[in-house]
Amino acid sequence: MLPLLVAPLRARPGRLLALLAWSLVEAVPALLAGQLVARAVDHGFAAGRPLTGLAWLALMGLGVFAGAWGTRQAYPLLAAVVEPFRDDLVRTVTEGSLRQAVAGRAVDASGVSRLTIQVEMVREAYAGVLMVVRGFLLTVGGALLGMVFLAPLILLLVVPPLLAGLGLFLVLLRRMAGAQRDAIIADERVAEAAGAASAAGRDVVACGAEDGVRADLVAHIDAQAAAARRLAALLPARVLCLAVAGWLPLLLLLVAAPGLRAGGLSAGAVLGAATYVTGGLQPAVRSLIQGLGGSGLRLVVALRRIHEAYPGEGRVGGGVVGVAGAMRTVGAVGTVGSHGSGVPRSAGSSYGVELTAVTFAYGPQADPVFRDLDLTLPEGAHLAVVGPSGIGKSTLAGLIGGTLEPGKGLVRLGGRPPAALPPSDLSALRVLVPQEAYVFSGALAENLRYLRPDASDEEVVAAVDAVGTGPLVSRLGGIGAVIDPAALSSGERQQIALVRAYLSPAPVVLLDEATCHLDPAAEARAEEAFARRPGTLLVIAHRISSALRARQVLVLDGDRVVSGTHGEALERSELYRDLVGHWSDGGGTPTTGDGEVTAAPGRTV
């Protein structure tokens, strides 16, 4: 961790030199205190000249004011070093999370803990450690140097216990670091578990898994509390280190005082040495032990944890690839490869979808959303998935799209498990548009080309017209307009995401209620455009019209699956008949096609 801690200081040498200069001013009282006390006693009070003694003490008071002024000037310089360091950490954590997403790994919910609690912990602890170490070195150095000029013999009484106490503290520090690391990891586990439970709240309630999820969260919280107790149990041992390094020198000095006086050392020199110990060395040791035992531990462990989580992010403070650049390779719909043509890769590439005996649950204690589900979706199919809220429609889209992995069974996309595909190959096969569309600040054209940066203006405009987003693009000022996501409605963001997916080279399109904020006419135009687009289309239906437009319908009905055309689903599924009776049909009519979807009935829970 030392290079990471030193890098911010090396990156700002001017501020570091200024900080050292004012630190030397701050060390003036530590250097002169014992000398001035010795002179006040020997040349003043003991010599019968009290005014002279008071004058020396007054001079010591002026030194205290000088030290306070040095401290006042040092703090802004310290902030100038620490705050950029904190910004570097935020960039490291953010870019590390994005790179993990680009690599196809699941999003790490503990990144929230790193970005909030741990980064702020590092910032505060780094500032505290800089102040403590700086103060210790200058104060103890000044006190020991003062003793050299005052009476070198005193160092034999002070230095050995000082080194013994500091050595004992270093041994203890290692155990405390382990306990601190356990506490931080336990905090991350709580963040991960809470994030997973929050994200799966609908499915947890639908499956009746509240008790299991609650028990899992309680177990993580109990583990966090136990780790905190173990760390707290080690903290009182710091008192022993302080007693050896800070108080034992004073005790030895008092015991040896008669012998020192008999050896010719003046009373002022003995009192001056005691002043160096009590006013300089002892407070500095106390601050060091408390600072390194608290802030220092939090700093090293949290910084190491960040470094372990994102080992490839380079040095802190060096600046790696910008967030905008990393985000260009990450989408709400998946990762992006570079594919020259805007035509989906249907020719010469397999993109059929097959689920075999798939079981999936949100956590080991939760009831499965799917159990032994078999599903075949051939190339060129157009499937609408319907069912009540919380039944697992979005979970099915996530399994096919590779954002979720089955607990048991096998999902194949183009003959291979999505998790086994490199990010570029996975993005070349499928594009997933969720209900809450992602739009970033910047040019509208960059948003639309998000999944295909090489698309020409003509291809972008053609996609805009096909999906029916022309009026929105004109209102925004054309594809070159700069947009603010906060100024767009949910429906407008969905229209932009739909054009983005339409432009994608991926032959498999998964629309997870991606048109829920559009009116029926706009939804119909968008879905019809995707139906004409070569490839496979799976729609998580928001309106019954989506099911009427699809060639096949898949009904998720709790304990069974029904698949077929609209008419076949009406005949075989009471749930589908009920949904049709309560859903607005949007005026659609059923269509037929060559693609046939097959699903094993009676194999979901």
Side-chain angles (χ1 to χ4, degrees):
M1 292 297 99
L2 187 59
L4 295 178
L5 297 173
V6 174
L9 302 177
R10 290 180 175 175
R12 300 161 184 92
R15 291 169 180 169
L16 179 60
L17 290 175
L19 179 62
L20 291 176
W22 284 110
S23 298
L24 292 175
V25 176
E26 186 180 354
V28 167
L31 178 63
L32 299 180
Q35 290 282 353
L36 296 176
V37 167
R39 292 181 179 273
V41 173
D42 292 338
H43 302 290
F45 301 111
R49 295 192 293 270
L51 293 179
T52 302
L54 291 175
W56 285 112
L57 294 180
L59 187 59
M60 186 173 69
L62 292 176
V64 172
F65 278 108
W69 179 251
T71 302
R72 168 65 180 82
Q73 299 302 314
Y75 269 95
L77 294 169
L78 182 69
V81 172
V82 172
E83 289 306 316
F85 179 54
R86 182 255 186 196
D87 296 340
D88 292 338
L89 282 175
V90 170
R91 279 193 294 271
T92 297
V93 174
T94 303
E95 290 164 359
S97 297
L98 293 176
R99 289 180 184 276
Q100 287 185 349
V102 170
R105 284 173 280 177
V107 176
D108 185 4
S110 62
V112 176
S113 173
R114 283 188 280 274
L115 187 60
T116 55
I117 298 175
Q118 293 183 31
V119 166
E120 291 305 312
M121 183 186 298
V122 169
R123 183 190 70 163
E124 295 178 6
Y126 189 56
V129 167
L130 283 180
M131 292 298 292
V132 165
V133 172
R134 179 189 61 92
F136 174 80
L137 294 177
L138 293 172
T139 302
V140 173
L144 295 179
L145 184 61
M147 291 181 194
V148 169
F149 291 109
L150 182 65
L153 184 63
I154 297 176
L155 293 176
L156 297 177
L157 301 173
V158 172
V159 173
L162 173 64
L163 295 179
L166 294 179
L168 179 63
F169 175 66
L170 291 178
V171 173
L172 175 66
L173 201 60
R174 186 176 184 86
R175 295 192 60 187
M176 294 172 65
Q180 182 74 62
R181 185 176 186 275
D182 291 342
I184 287 181
I185 292 176
D187 180 77
E188 290 183 4
R189 296 294 177 265
V190 170
E192 288 178 344
S198 176
R202 184 177 65 175
D203 294 298
V204 169
V205 174
C207 297
E210 297 97 322
D211 292 339
V213 172
R214 184 183 301 109
D216 182 62
L217 286 173
V218 169
H220 284 293
I221 293 171
D222 288 343
Q224 182 190 37
R229 284 194 294 269
R230 287 194 297 271
L231 176 61
L234 291 172
L235 296 181
R238 296 180 303 179
V239 176
L240 176 61
C241 303
L242 175 61
V244 174
W247 289 100
L248 185 56
L250 179 61
L251 179 61
L252 294 177
L253 181 62
L254 294 177
V255 171
L260 294 174
R261 290 283 291 124
L265 198 65
S266 67
V270 174
L271 289 176
T275 301
Y276 278 128
V277 173
T278 58
L281 187 145
Q282 192 180 89
V285 170
R286 181 187 300 108
S287 297
L288 181 72
I289 290 177
Q290 291 178 347
L292 293 186
S295 298
L297 282 178
R298 291 191 294 271
L299 169 64
V300 173
V301 174
L303 192 58
R304 178 178 295 164
R305 190 64 183 152
I306 292 173
H307 182 67
E308 290 172 347
Y310 313 113
E313 293 310 300
R315 66 180 180 87
V316 176
V320 292
V321 177
V323 173
M327 284 301 296
R328 192 170 298 281
T329 60
V330 183
V333 291
T335 31
V336 184
S338 177
H339 319 290
S341 171
V343 180
R345 289 176 39 181
S346 56
S349 298
S350 172
Y351 56 90
V353 176
E354 184 179 0
L355 279 71
T356 304
V358 168
T359 297
F360 178 84
Y362 287 100
Q365 304 300 323
D367 291 335
V369 180
F370 298 112
R371 191 194 304 276
D372 296 327
L373 172 65
D374 293 336
L375 174 66
T376 300
L377 190 62
E379 297 179 9
H382 180 181
L383 174 69
V385 182
V386 300
S389 177
I391 201 64
K393 302 188 296 296
S394 295
T395 302
L396 177 61
L399 289 168
I400 296 174
T403 59
L404 298 174
E405 294 188 29
K408 295 180 180 178
L410 186 63
V411 177
R412 294 184 182 92
L413 182 60
R416 299 176 62 188
L421 292 170
S424 59
D425 290 350
L426 182 59
S427 64
L429 283 175
R430 66 91 180 96
V431 55
L432 170 63
V433 185
Q435 179 177 351
E436 297 302 326
Y438 173 76
V439 176
F440 57 86
S441 299
L444 176 59
E446 293 182 352
N447 274 275
L448 299 178
R449 292 189 177 100
Y450 197 55
L451 298 179
R452 191 173 152 224
D454 60 342
S456 66
D457 288 349
E458 292 75 15
E459 289 172 321
V460 173
V461 171
V464 167
D465 292 338
V467 178
T469 313
L472 171 62
V473 173
S474 298
R475 187 166 66 252
L476 294 175
I479 63 173
V482 176
I483 59 174
D484 176 12
L488 300 175
S489 67
S490 297
E492 290 170 336
R493 290 194 293 272
Q494 281 190 336
Q495 290 184 69
I496 293 173
L498 288 168
V499 175
R500 177 192 300 158
Y502 188 88
L503 272 172
S504 166
V508 178
V509 177
L510 309 172
L511 302 181
D512 185 6
E513 297 194 16
T515 58
C516 63
H517 297 298
L518 304 184
D519 59 66
E523 178 185 64
R525 180 164 181 177
E527 288 186 4
E528 288 168 358
F530 279 99
R532 293 190 300 268
R533 178 184 184 273
T536 296
L537 176 62
L538 183 146
V539 180
I540 304 300
H542 176 66
R543 298 182 178 94
I544 196 61
S545 53
S546 296
L548 295 173
R549 282 187 290 269
R551 300 188 188 101
Q552 298 285 317
V553 178
L554 182 68
V555 184
L556 300 182
D557 187 8
D559 59 348
R560 69 193 191 105
V561 171
V562 174
S563 64
T565 64
H566 171 69
E568 292 170 343
L570 281 174
E571 180 180 349
R572 295 163 50 192
S573 173
E574 180 180 353
L575 171 64
Y576 188 63
R577 291 195 296 271
D578 184 62
L579 292 174
V580 170
H582 290 85
W583 237 341
S584 170
D585 62 10
T589 57
T591 62
T592 61
D594 297 331
E596 181 179 356
V597 179
T598 61
R603 303 190 70 181
T604 64
V605 174

Coordinates of all heavy atoms in Angstrom, one line a residue, residues 113 118 121 173-191 219-232 234 297-298 300-302 304-305 308:
S113 N -20.6 0.1 -1.3 CA -19.9 0.3 0.0 C -18.5 0.9 -0.3 O -18.1 1.8 0.5 CB -19.8 -1.0 0.7 OG -18.9 -0.9 1.9
Q118 N -16.2 3.4 2.1 CA -14.8 3.1 2.1 C -14.0 4.3 1.6 O -12.9 4.6 2.1 CB -14.5 1.8 1.4 CG -15.0 0.6 2.0 CD -14.6 -0.7 1.3 OE1 -13.6 -0.8 0.7 NE2 -15.5 -1.7 1.4
M121 N -14.0 6.8 4.2 CA -13.1 6.4 5.2 C -11.7 6.6 4.9 O -10.9 7.1 5.8 CB -13.4 4.9 5.5 CG -12.6 4.3 6.6 SD -12.8 2.5 6.7 CE -14.6 2.4 7.0
L173 N -0.6 -4.0 15.9 CA -1.2 -3.4 14.7 C -1.5 -4.5 13.7 O -2.6 -4.3 13.0 CB -0.3 -2.3 14.2 CG -0.9 -1.3 13.3 CD1 -1.9 -0.5 14.1 CD2 0.2 -0.3 12.7
R174 N -0.7 -5.5 13.5 CA -1.0 -6.5 12.5 C -2.3 -7.2 12.8 O -3.1 -7.5 11.9 CB 0.2 -7.5 12.5 CG 0.1 -8.5 11.4 CD 1.3 -9.4 11.3 NE 1.3 -10.3 10.2 CZ 1.7 -10.0 8.9 NH1 2.1 -8.8 8.7 NH2 1.6 -10.9 8.0
R175 N -2.5 -7.6 14.1 CA -3.7 -8.3 14.4 C -4.9 -7.4 14.3 O -6.0 -7.8 13.9 CB -3.6 -8.8 15.9 CG -2.6 -9.9 16.1 CD -2.8 -10.5 17.4 NE -4.1 -11.2 17.5 CZ -4.6 -11.7 18.7 NH1 -3.8 -11.7 19.8 NH2 -5.8 -12.2 18.7
M176 N -4.7 -6.1 14.7 CA -5.8 -5.1 14.5 C -6.2 -4.9 13.0 O -7.3 -4.7 12.7 CB -5.4 -3.8 15.2 CG -5.3 -3.9 16.7 SD -4.6 -2.4 17.4 CE -6.0 -1.3 17.1
A177 N -5.2 -5.0 12.2 CA -5.4 -4.8 10.7 C -6.3 -5.9 10.2 O -7.2 -5.7 9.4 CB -4.1 -4.7 10.0
G178 N -6.0 -7.2 10.7 CA -6.8 -8.3 10.3 C -8.3 -8.1 10.7 O -9.2 -8.4 10.0
A179 N -8.4 -7.7 12.0 CA -9.8 -7.5 12.5 C -10.5 -6.4 11.8 O -11.7 -6.5 11.5 CB -9.7 -7.2 14.0
Q180 N -9.8 -5.3 11.4 CA -10.4 -4.2 10.7 C -10.8 -4.7 9.3 O -11.9 -4.3 8.8 CB -9.4 -3.1 10.6 CG -9.9 -1.8 9.9 CD -10.9 -1.1 10.7 OE1 -10.6 -0.6 11.8 NE2 -12.1 -0.9 10.3
R181 N -10.0 -5.5 8.7 CA -10.3 -6.0 7.3 C -11.6 -6.9 7.4 O -12.5 -6.8 6.5 CB -9.2 -6.8 6.8 CG -9.4 -7.3 5.3 CD -8.1 -8.0 4.8 NE -8.3 -8.3 3.4 CZ -8.9 -9.4 2.9 NH1 -9.4 -10.2 3.8 NH2 -8.9 -9.6 1.6
D182 N -11.7 -7.7 8.4 CA -12.9 -8.5 8.6 C -14.1 -7.6 8.7 O -15.2 -8.0 8.2 CB -12.7 -9.4 9.8 CG -11.7 -10.5 9.6 OD1 -11.3 -10.8 8.4 OD2 -11.2 -11.1 10.6
A183 N -14.0 -6.5 9.5 CA -15.1 -5.6 9.7 C -15.6 -5.0 8.4 O -16.7 -4.9 8.1 CB -14.8 -4.6 10.7
I184 N -14.6 -4.6 7.5 CA -14.9 -4.0 6.3 C -15.6 -5.0 5.3 O -16.5 -4.7 4.6 CB -13.7 -3.3 5.6 CG1 -13.3 -2.1 6.4 CG2 -13.9 -3.0 4.2 CD1 -12.1 -1.3 5.9
I185 N -15.0 -6.2 5.3 CA -15.6 -7.2 4.4 C -17.0 -7.5 4.8 O -17.9 -7.7 4.0 CB -14.7 -8.5 4.4 CG1 -13.4 -8.2 3.7 CG2 -15.4 -9.6 3.7 CD1 -12.4 -9.3 3.7
A186 N -17.2 -7.6 6.1 CA -18.6 -7.9 6.6 C -19.5 -6.7 6.2 O -20.7 -7.0 5.9 CB -18.6 -8.0 8.2
D187 N -19.0 -5.5 6.2 CA -19.8 -4.4 5.8 C -20.2 -4.5 4.3 O -21.3 -4.3 3.9 CB -19.1 -3.1 6.0 CG -19.9 -1.9 5.6 OD1 -20.8 -1.5 6.3 OD2 -19.6 -1.3 4.5
E188 N -19.2 -5.0 3.5 CA -19.5 -5.2 2.0 C -20.6 -6.3 1.9 O -21.4 -6.2 1.0 CB -18.2 -5.6 1.3 CG -17.2 -4.5 1.2 CD -16.0 -4.9 0.4 OE1 -16.0 -6.1 -0.1 OE2 -15.1 -4.1 0.3
R189 N -20.5 -7.4 2.7 CA -21.4 -8.5 2.5 C -22.9 -8.0 2.9 O -23.8 -8.4 2.2 CB -21.1 -9.6 3.5 CG -19.7 -10.3 3.1 CD -19.7 -10.9 1.8 NE -18.4 -11.5 1.5 CZ -17.5 -10.9 0.7 NH1 -17.8 -9.7 0.2 NH2 -16.4 -11.4 0.4
V190 N -23.0 -7.1 3.8 CA -24.3 -6.5 4.1 C -24.8 -5.7 2.9 O -26.0 -5.8 2.6 CB -24.2 -5.6 5.4 CG1 -25.5 -4.9 5.6 CG2 -23.9 -6.5 6.6
A191 N -23.9 -4.9 2.3 CA -24.3 -4.2 1.2 C -24.7 -5.1 0.0 O -25.7 -4.8 -0.7 CB -23.2 -3.2 0.7
A219 N -28.3 -12.7 9.3 CA -27.1 -13.4 9.4 C -25.9 -12.5 9.0 O -24.9 -12.5 9.7 CB -27.1 -14.7 8.6
H220 N -26.0 -11.8 8.0 CA -24.9 -10.9 7.5 C -24.7 -9.7 8.5 O -23.6 -9.3 8.8 CB -25.3 -10.3 6.1 CG -25.0 -11.3 5.0 ND1 -23.8 -11.7 4.7 CD2 -25.9 -11.9 4.2 CE1 -23.9 -12.6 3.7 NE2 -25.2 -12.7 3.3
I221 N -25.8 -9.2 9.0 CA -25.7 -8.1 10.0 C -25.1 -8.6 11.3 O -24.3 -7.9 11.9 CB -27.1 -7.5 10.3 CG1 -27.6 -6.8 9.0 CG2 -27.1 -6.5 11.4 CD1 -29.1 -6.3 9.1
D222 N -25.5 -9.8 11.7 CA -24.8 -10.4 12.9 C -23.3 -10.6 12.7 O -22.5 -10.4 13.6 CB -25.5 -11.7 13.3 CG -26.9 -11.5 13.8 OD1 -27.2 -10.4 14.2 OD2 -27.7 -12.5 13.8
A223 N -23.0 -11.0 11.5 CA -21.5 -11.2 11.2 C -20.8 -9.9 11.3 O -19.7 -9.8 11.7 CB -21.4 -11.9 9.9
Q224 N -21.4 -8.9 10.8 CA -20.8 -7.5 10.8 C -20.7 -7.1 12.3 O -19.6 -6.5 12.6 CB -21.7 -6.5 10.1 CG -21.2 -5.1 10.0 CD -22.2 -4.2 9.4 OE1 -23.3 -4.3 9.7 NE2 -21.7 -3.2 8.7
A225 N -21.7 -7.3 13.1 CA -21.6 -6.9 14.5 C -20.5 -7.7 15.2 O -19.7 -7.1 16.0 CB -22.9 -7.1 15.2
A226 N -20.3 -9.0 14.9 CA -19.3 -9.8 15.6 C -17.9 -9.3 15.2 O -17.0 -9.3 16.0 CB -19.5 -11.3 15.2
A227 N -17.7 -8.9 13.9 CA -16.4 -8.4 13.4 C -16.1 -7.1 14.1 O -15.0 -6.9 14.5 CB -16.4 -8.2 11.9
A228 N -17.1 -6.3 14.3 CA -16.9 -5.0 15.0 C -16.5 -5.3 16.5 O -15.7 -4.5 17.0 CB -18.1 -4.1 14.9
R229 N -17.1 -6.3 17.1 CA -16.8 -6.6 18.5 C -15.4 -7.1 18.6 O -14.6 -6.7 19.6 CB -17.8 -7.6 19.1 CG -19.1 -7.0 19.4 CD -20.0 -8.0 20.3 NE -20.3 -9.2 19.5 CZ -21.4 -9.3 18.8 NH1 -22.3 -8.3 18.7 NH2 -21.7 -10.4 18.1
R230 N -14.9 -7.9 17.7 CA -13.5 -8.4 17.7 C -12.5 -7.3 17.6 O -11.5 -7.3 18.3 CB -13.3 -9.4 16.6 CG -14.0 -10.8 16.8 CD -13.5 -11.8 15.9 NE -13.8 -11.5 14.5 CZ -14.9 -11.9 13.9 NH1 -15.8 -12.5 14.5 NH2 -15.1 -11.6 12.6
L231 N -12.8 -6.3 16.7 CA -12.0 -5.2 16.6 C -11.9 -4.4 17.9 O -10.9 -3.9 18.3 CB -12.4 -4.3 15.4 CG -11.6 -3.1 15.1 CD1 -10.2 -3.4 14.8 CD2 -12.2 -2.3 14.0
A232 N -13.1 -4.1 18.4 CA -13.2 -3.3 19.7 C -12.4 -4.0 20.8 O -11.9 -3.3 21.7 CB -14.7 -3.1 20.1
L234 N -9.7 -5.5 20.7 CA -8.2 -5.3 20.6 C -7.8 -3.9 20.9 O -6.6 -3.6 21.2 CB -7.8 -5.7 19.2 CG -7.8 -7.2 18.8 CD1 -7.5 -7.3 17.3 CD2 -6.8 -7.9 19.6
L297 N -5.4 2.1 10.6 CA -6.0 0.8 10.2 C -7.1 0.9 9.2 O -7.1 0.2 8.2 CB -6.5 0.1 11.5 CG -5.5 -0.5 12.4 CD1 -6.3 -1.1 13.6 CD2 -4.8 -1.6 11.7
R298 N -8.0 1.9 9.4 CA -9.1 2.0 8.4 C -8.5 2.4 7.1 O -9.0 2.0 6.0 CB -10.1 3.1 8.9 CG -10.8 2.6 10.2 CD -12.0 3.6 10.5 NE -11.5 4.9 10.9 CZ -11.3 5.2 12.1 NH1 -11.4 4.3 13.1 NH2 -10.8 6.5 12.4
V300 N -5.4 1.8 5.7 CA -4.7 0.7 5.0 C -5.7 -0.4 4.5 O -5.6 -0.9 3.4 CB -3.6 0.2 5.9 CG1 -2.9 -1.1 5.2 CG2 -2.5 1.2 6.1
V301 N -6.6 -0.8 5.4 CA -7.4 -1.9 5.1 C -8.4 -1.5 4.0 O -8.7 -2.3 3.1 CB -8.2 -2.4 6.4 CG1 -9.2 -3.4 6.0 CG2 -7.2 -2.9 7.4
A302 N -9.0 -0.3 4.1 CA -10.0 0.1 3.1 C -9.3 0.3 1.8 O -9.8 -0.1 0.7 CB -10.7 1.4 3.5
R304 N -6.5 -1.1 0.7 CA -6.2 -2.4 0.2 C -7.4 -3.1 -0.3 O -7.3 -3.8 -1.4 CB -5.6 -3.3 1.3 CG -5.2 -4.7 0.9 CD -4.5 -5.5 2.0 NE -3.3 -4.9 2.4 CZ -2.6 -5.1 3.5 NH1 -3.1 -6.0 4.4 NH2 -1.5 -4.5 3.8
R305 N -8.5 -3.0 0.3 CA -9.8 -3.6 -0.2 C -10.1 -3.1 -1.5 O -10.5 -3.8 -2.4 CB -10.9 -3.4 0.8 CG -12.1 -4.2 0.5 CD -11.9 -5.7 0.7 NE -13.0 -6.4 0.3 CZ -13.0 -7.7 -0.2 NH1 -11.9 -8.2 -0.4 NH2 -14.1 -8.3 -0.4
E308 N -7.7 -4.6 -4.0 CA -8.0 -6.0 -4.3 C -9.2 -6.1 -5.2 O -9.2 -7.0 -6.1 CB -8.3 -6.7 -3.0 CG -7.0 -6.9 -2.1 CD -7.4 -7.5 -0.7 OE1 -8.6 -7.5 -0.4 OE2 -6.5 -7.9 0.0

